[in-house]
Amino acid sequence: MKLYTSLTSPYGRKVRIVCLEKRIEMQLVEVTTGAPDSPVKDINPLGKVPALVLDDHRPLYDSSVIVDYLDHISPVGKLIPGDARQAINVKRWEALCDGILDAAILIVREKRRPPEQQSTGVMAHEQGRIDRGLAQLALDLGERKWCMGDSFTLADIAVGCLLAYLDLRFADLHWQNAHPNLLKLQVRLNERPSFIETLPPPPVS
Ligand SMILES: N[C@@H](CCC(=O)N[C@@H](CS)C(=O)NCC(=O)O)C(=O)O
């Protein structure tokens, strides 16, 4: 299997952490999505990473589909519970984290446009999603050890990748002040070898 991703993609990091937690071997192909010769468009028509190419050349995307597949093919370290109700809860955590990331990435993109083309309205709208999303994650976590209670799941991986991305790109957001329980979870997650091994490189700009 070949995983096409950038090292800064939080969605790609989610997949890489799942592989490490489940001891699934994967060839990592590092790509820059914006590059005109990026091979990703031939794999994923949306041109987004992560994209996975299976050994029989079938392509898989997006990250949520890829992690479902990976959890399904190996019984090692199950990250999505077998019970349907619990599985849906885990996927809802993941959907909220991915949705907050989508909003954060839109803001990053908007800020890269020339100042006169940036829309404060768009940025405020997306910031609202981030703020409400983080508040919901914090409320749902409460004082539990892991998102789902006693067991470490894909939900924790999704939250960890989200928070690290916010630290990377939104250092002045200071989400830790409003949500100390999320910070506690982040500290716990950052002790795991899978999180240490996939730390995003520092931003170039
Ligand atoms: N829902 C997708 C989101 C993937 C995504 O937005 N990836 C970004 C990198 S972090 C990307 O490839 N952007 C390139 C583009 O939009 O052209 C997933 O979970 O895989």
Side-chain angles (χ1 to χ4, degrees):
M1 283 188 288
K2 281 189 191 173
L3 178 68
Y4 291 76
T5 190
S6 69
L7 295 183
T8 48
S9 168
Y11 315 93
R13 187 179 186 209
K14 183 175 54 169
V15 175
R16 288 159 62 214
I17 290 174
V18 166
C19 287
L20 289 167
E21 292 285 345
K22 295 183 66 69
R23 312 206 189 298
I24 293 174
E25 299 253 335
M26 176 83 65
Q27 184 187 339
L28 189 91
V29 185
E30 199 185 327
V31 288
T32 314
T33 45
D37 58 346
S38 164
V40 176
K41 288 192 225 78
D42 298 330
I43 302 164
N44 175 358
L46 302 174
K48 293 185 179 185
V49 293
L52 182 70
V53 178
L54 302 179
D55 290 340
D56 64 6
H57 306 298
R58 268 183 304 152
L60 277 191
Y61 46 87
D62 69 30
S63 64
S64 167
V65 174
I66 297 173
V67 295
D68 273 14
Y69 173 76
L70 295 173
D71 203 44
H72 187 72
I73 57 167
S74 163
V76 176
K78 284 300 274 181
L79 294 168
I80 303 172
D83 174 74
R85 244 179 124 102
Q86 293 211 28
I88 288 297
N89 275 343
V90 166
K91 293 303 285 184
R92 193 184 68 175
W93 277 93
E94 184 192 18
L96 183 51
C97 293
D98 286 359
I100 298 171
L101 279 171
D102 293 344
I105 286 170
L106 274 172
I107 293 179
V108 169
R109 261 209 206 133
E110 197 64 25
K111 284 187 176 161
R112 284 184 181 152
R113 287 154 62 90
E116 66 281 5
Q117 288 177 21
Q118 292 179 13
S119 162
T120 47
V122 165
M123 288 194 278
H125 187 67
E126 299 305 327
Q127 188 63 48
R129 292 191 221 270
I130 297 175
D131 296 343
R132 291 191 306 274
L134 286 174
Q136 189 65 51
L137 292 176
L139 185 71
D140 290 348
L141 177 64
E143 291 309 315
R144 289 184 296 181
K145 181 174 180 192
W146 302 115
C147 298
M148 292 293 291
D150 290 335
S151 353
F152 171 78
T153 67
L154 174 64
D156 303 292
I157 297 176
V159 174
C161 292
L162 162 67
L163 297 177
Y165 183 81
L166 293 179
D167 290 345
L168 188 74
R169 302 283 186 211
F170 293 76
D172 51 1
L173 183 61
H174 302 303
W175 56 266
Q176 300 87 343
N177 298 341
H179 308 301
N181 62 338
L182 291 180
L183 177 60
K184 268 198 230 164
L185 176 63
Q186 186 188 43
V187 169
R188 200 170 290 133
L189 288 167
N190 284 346
E191 289 166 358
R192 295 181 87 86
S194 61
F195 275 75
I196 295 169
E197 209 176 300
T198 57
L199 271 175
V204 276
S205 59

